[in-house]
Amino acid sequence: MAEAELVAFSNIQLRPDPSRTVIRPFNIEYPGAFKVDGHHRAVRVIDRVLSLSPDELRAERRRVMESLDERHRDVDELLLHRFGEIMAVLKDPREIDTDQKLLIGAYLSGEYSFEAAALFNPSMVLDPDQANAPEGGLRFILSLRGIGEGHVSSVTFRTGSWSPDDGFSVDPASQTAVPPRVTPTDQGATDGGPTRLECGGSRELSETVIFPILPSQHQGIEDLRLVRFEDAGKVQYLGTYTAFSGSEARCELLRGEDFKTFEMQPMRGAVAATKGMALFPRKIGGQYAMLGRQDNENIWYLTSDDLLTWEGGTKIVEPKWPWEFIQMGNCGSPIEIDEGWLVLTHGVGSVRNYCIGACLLDKADPTKLLARMTDPLIVPSPTERDGYVPNVVYSCGGIVHDRTLLLPFGVADNFASFATVDVGRLLAAMA
C-alpha cells in the first residue's frame, strides 16, 4: 500500500479530555404551549434569586464560586458579563446588587465539556510567530473539532512545532478554557451579517473555544478548514466550516488576523448550502478560488469575485479507484508547490471506509488534473479503526515545509495524530 512506502507516522495522539470545560450561556424558555408573549422564563429565575435572604444568597454564591474557581479564570467577570447579556435582552430596569447579579449570571450559564466525546479532524497553518521555531523546522497552529454533550461540535486550538530531527511536538493544553465575547449588537446577526468574537481573554491559544452561537450553528460548528490567505501583501487566516442547525447544514466563513479576534459570516449562493468547501490560499486570475463537493460525489473548482458568494463550478476530479467509488472530497485547502496545487483528498469506499489520498492540479488552471494517487495515502488502521465513527481517517488540511508534507489527521472521529510525507516521493506515486 502507498502508506507503507511513503508515510512516516508520529506517536503523538491528541485525545479528548472531558475535564476541559468552558462556561457558556444556558438559555431557558418554556415549550411552545406554555409560552406567553412578554413573559420570559428567565424572569422567573431572577425573581427566585432576588427572593433569597442575605444568608442564603452568600451561601449559594460561595458554593458556585468554589465549584468554578478551580478551573476557570475571572469567574466574577464572566458571570457579570452574562448578567449584562440577559438584562439587555429582558430590558429589566430593576436595581440589583453585585451578589445577586453574580448568582443570576451563574443560574443562566452552564459549564460545557466541549471535547468530552471526541477531538479530531484537524487543520494546520503556519504560526504567525516563528520566533521560537526549531532549527530547520517551524511553529504551527492546529484547529480541531471537539464533540461534547449532545453531539455538539465546537472549534478548539493547539500550538506546536515540527523539525526534521525531532518530529512533531504539541504544546500542553491549558486546563482553562475561555469563552469568546460576542459583541452585543452582533448577537442577532442572523440575516447574513458578521458576528464578531473577541478572544483576548485567552492567555494562550489552547484556551480559545468557539462553540455554537447562532441559530444556524445550534447543533455544531464542524470541520474548520483553516488557510493562511495572502492578497496584495496582506495576510489573513480564513477558515470554512460547516454550520449545522440540527436540520440544515451550510458553509460559513471564519476570518481573523491574530487569533485574538474573529468574524463569523455565512456564505451565500447555491454552493454555500453544502459541506466541505476549502479556499485556495491566494486569488487565481484575480478571483477567489475554492474546492467543493456540492454533489456529494465529485471534487469541484469554483471561482468568485466575492469571498462570500459561490455559484456553479466545474467538476475536476471524479471517483476512479475502488477506495473512492462512493465519494470524493478535499482534505483541506490546496497547497501550492513548484509543480502545481497539491490537493489532499478523501475517498469513501466499501463499508463506508474513509481514506486519505492526493492529487495534483495545474497551477495556472486548477481545472486541469495533472496526476492522482491510484492507492490511498493513509487508510484506517486495523488496530485503530474503532471509535465514534469506525473506519475513518480524515484531515482538514496540512502544510508543506521544505518539500515535506506535514499532515495532521483524525482517526475514527475519535482522536487526532500526525504524519509526514516526502513531497517528491508523493508526486512520483501519482499517475
Side-chain angles (χ1 to χ4, degrees):
M1 296 295 289
E3 67 170 11
E5 303 167 2
L6 297 176
V7 183
F9 292 98
S10 169
N11 292 324
I12 293 176
Q13 295 181 350
L14 301 180
R15 291 188 174 271
D17 180 358
S19 72
R20 301 191 72 225
T21 63
V22 67
I23 298 174
R24 67 175 188 175
F26 178 46
N27 297 309
I28 57 173
E29 187 50 278
Y30 290 110
F34 294 88
K35 287 183 179 179
V36 178
D37 288 344
H39 294 273
H40 197 286
R41 187 179 169 194
V43 175
R44 297 287 184 89
V45 175
I46 293 170
D47 290 341
R48 290 167 186 149
V49 172
L50 297 183
S51 73
L52 294 174
S53 69
D55 288 344
E56 290 173 325
L57 185 68
R58 283 192 295 271
E60 185 62 18
R61 184 190 169 186
R62 183 168 56 251
R63 188 194 64 78
V64 168
M65 295 308 164
E66 287 174 353
S67 169
L68 296 179
D69 277 345
E70 64 182 28
R71 57 185 180 187
H72 297 284
R73 192 168 54 242
D74 302 325
V75 174
D76 282 13
E77 184 183 351
L78 283 171
L79 298 183
L80 288 174
H81 180 77
R82 176 62 180 147
F83 171 82
E85 291 178 331
I86 297 159
M87 301 309 277
V89 171
L90 298 179
K91 298 179 173 60
D92 193 320
R94 283 180 284 187
E95 291 292 328
I96 299 175
D97 69 33
T98 299
D99 283 349
Q100 292 169 329
K101 290 178 181 179
L102 287 166
L103 205 51
I104 291 167
Y107 273 104
L108 296 173
S109 298
E111 199 175 14
Y112 179 65
S113 181
F114 53 91
E115 58 179 64
L119 185 67
F120 63 112
N121 289 4
S123 69
M124 179 186 286
V125 293
L126 195 68
D127 191 325
D129 182 3
Q130 293 293 315
N132 297 314
E135 184 175 354
L138 52 74
R139 295 280 301 166
F140 61 79
I141 288 173
L142 204 67
S143 72
L144 297 118
R145 175 180 171 184
I147 291 185
E149 175 188 348
H151 191 69
V152 174
S153 296
S154 303
V155 176
T156 183
F157 299 93
R158 297 287 193 278
T159 55
S161 61
W162 177 86
S163 72
D165 294 332
D166 299 323
F168 289 98
S169 174
V170 178
D171 303 326
S174 172
Q175 279 302 301
T176 298
V178 180
R181 290 288 177 89
V182 183
T183 305
T185 55
D186 292 333
Q187 285 180 325
T190 58
D191 60 351
T195 298
R196 186 176 178 86
L197 308 179
E198 299 284 351
C199 302
S202 298
R203 296 179 183 175
E204 57 183 81
L205 190 53
S206 70
E207 295 186 350
T208 296
V209 182
I210 302 176
F211 48 76
I213 294 168
L214 302 176
S216 65
Q217 307 162 353
H218 177 73
Q219 203 57 33
I221 299 173
E222 303 177 358
D223 297 343
L224 176 65
R225 288 160 159 84
L226 273 180
V227 64
R228 182 182 184 275
F229 186 88
E230 187 169 355
D231 184 34
K234 180 182 179 181
V235 173
Q236 298 182 78
Y237 290 88
L238 305 178
T240 52
Y241 61 87
T242 298
F244 183 47
S245 69
S247 59
E248 296 182 346
R250 74 181 187 188
C251 190
E252 296 184 352
L253 181 72
L254 184 77
R255 80 168 91 194
E257 297 179 6
D258 56 6
F259 290 91
K260 290 291 187 182
T261 303
F262 298 98
E263 281 190 353
M264 296 188 301
Q265 195 162 359
M267 291 184 169
R268 301 180 291 266
V271 180
T274 62
K275 301 173 66 174
M277 299 173 71
L279 280 161
F280 280 68
R282 63 172 174 83
K283 289 182 177 180
I284 298 176
Q287 293 184 301
Y288 296 103
M290 183 92 78
L291 294 181
R293 57 173 179 87
Q294 53 264 43
D295 61 358
N296 287 337
E297 184 178 15
N298 307 285
I299 297 178
W300 294 66
Y301 175 73
L302 305 97
T303 58
S304 176
D305 294 323
D306 176 1
L307 184 58
L308 296 172
T309 304
W310 299 90
E311 306 278 1
T314 301
K315 188 191 307 181
I316 58 172
V317 190
E318 302 179 27
K320 183 175 182 180
W321 307 108
W323 56 278
E324 56 192 23
F325 274 180
I326 294 291
Q327 173 183 300
M328 293 195 68
N330 67 74
C331 278
S333 293
I335 304 168
E336 189 168 11
I337 58 176
D338 292 342
E339 293 85 350
W341 293 104
L342 176 64
V343 177
L344 298 168
T345 65
H346 73 259
V348 183
S350 60
V351 202
R352 203 181 58 160
N353 273 251
Y354 275 71
C355 300
I356 295 175
C359 67
L360 185 69
L361 306 179
D362 185 82
K363 188 175 292 192
D365 182 3
T367 63
K368 295 180 180 178
L369 175 63
L370 301 181
R372 65 192 294 177
M373 298 196 71
T374 58
D375 291 318
L377 184 64
I378 302 178
V379 301
S381 165
T383 60
E384 295 174 343
R385 59 181 293 205
D386 299 326
Y388 198 82
V389 180
N391 303 314
V392 173
V393 288
Y394 197 88
S395 178
C396 289
I399 58 179
V400 168
H401 177 72
D402 288 346
R403 301 293 286 181
T404 298
L405 171 64
L406 311 181
L407 177 58
F409 63 96
V411 178
D413 282 15
N414 184 1
F415 66 92
S417 191
F418 301 87
T420 55
V421 185
D422 178 85
V423 170
R425 295 184 65 205
L426 175 62
L427 296 177
M430 297 183 185

